[in-house]
Amino acid sequence: MGLPTSLVNDARAFGLAELRLGAGRGAETMIGLTLGTGVGGVIAIDGRVHQGHDGTAGEIGHQTIDPDGPWCGCGNRGCVEAYARADQIAKACASPTAEEAVARARNGDPQALDGLAQVGRYLGIGIANLVTLVTPDRVVIGGGVAAAGDLLFEPIRAELRRRVRTTSLDEVAIVPAELGTWAGAIGAAVHGAEQAASAGSGRAA
């Protein structure tokens, strides 16, 4: 159509939406995770989503937390995603789906509670690595499993307390995402608008 085009990864779009309009509003530095079929990630520094030289920065789900762990879909072993993607959450909780796992945990099912605690531990290890590296103001967690709230967030916080030794955790908030399933679409629109504005200001200069 002869119009300028800009692409953005879905997880980075989620993070941009939450940073500008959702749970990350006002944060200077933010880590975002979206839990679903995989574990998407985003890192925002100084109020801007960090894309890296090729747009792939922020793949929090593909950091190694166990060099001899299970195979991940990316071809590596022991990634965060290998422990915390939806099918693994369901398996850990002995539930047919991750959503059902959350529902069972809310109703006090011991295996579902234990499974979410295990998943929270692995997520906490990965988040602790990022907190040590970039000391964010906020960690925003989205996706259907985030509906578990403190059943998932408390094991994450416990792991952070166990592992983060170089900075105070008093200023690091662990919060659920606010924009739901629309976050990706909202973020894509925001990204396009910001890229167009940046190109326009560049032409004016």
Side-chain angles (χ1 to χ4, degrees):
M1 295 179 67
L3 297 174
T5 302
S6 181
L7 298 176
V8 63
N9 170 276
D10 58 348
R12 258 66 85 197
F14 151 83
L16 180 59
E18 292 291 342
L19 181 66
R20 296 284 184 263
L21 303 167
R25 287 187 312 275
E28 281 294 310
T29 305
M30 183 193 88
I31 292 170
L33 294 91
T34 177
L35 309 178
T37 54
V39 177
V42 60
I43 300 171
I45 299 173
D46 294 333
R48 297 176 61 86
V49 170
H50 180 62
Q51 299 271 17
H53 70 270
D54 60 356
T56 63
E59 288 291 346
I60 296 166
H62 294 297
Q63 61 175 303
T64 303
I65 58 172
D66 181 357
D68 301 312
W71 289 103
C72 180
C74 72
N76 185 30
R77 294 186 73 129
C79 292
V80 172
E81 183 172 300
Y83 292 99
R85 64 181 187 261
D87 64 330
Q88 292 302 306
I89 294 170
K91 181 179 178 181
C93 297
S95 299
T97 66
E99 290 75 16
E100 179 67 19
V102 172
R104 291 184 183 187
R106 282 176 169 170
N107 288 325
D109 181 277
Q111 191 155 3
L113 288 167
D114 183 63
L116 282 182
Q118 290 180 43
V119 171
R121 176 173 181 249
Y122 288 121
L123 287 169
I125 293 171
I127 293 169
N129 291 337
L130 272 295
V131 168
T132 299
L133 286 173
V134 301
T135 57
D137 308 319
R138 216 161 302 167
V139 177
V140 177
I141 302 176
V145 183
D150 282 344
L151 295 177
L152 181 67
F153 291 0
E154 279 307 314
I156 290 173
R157 293 185 182 109
E159 205 62 33
L160 292 179
R161 290 191 294 270
R162 187 173 296 118
R163 296 182 181 277
V164 175
R165 302 293 179 177
T166 58
T167 188
S168 170
L169 291 172
D170 292 342
E171 305 301 322
V172 182
I174 313 292
V175 298
E178 293 180 356
L179 301 178
T181 57
W182 286 102
I186 293 168
V190 171
H191 176 74
E194 291 186 351
Q195 291 296 305
S198 176
S201 63
R203 285 195 298 270

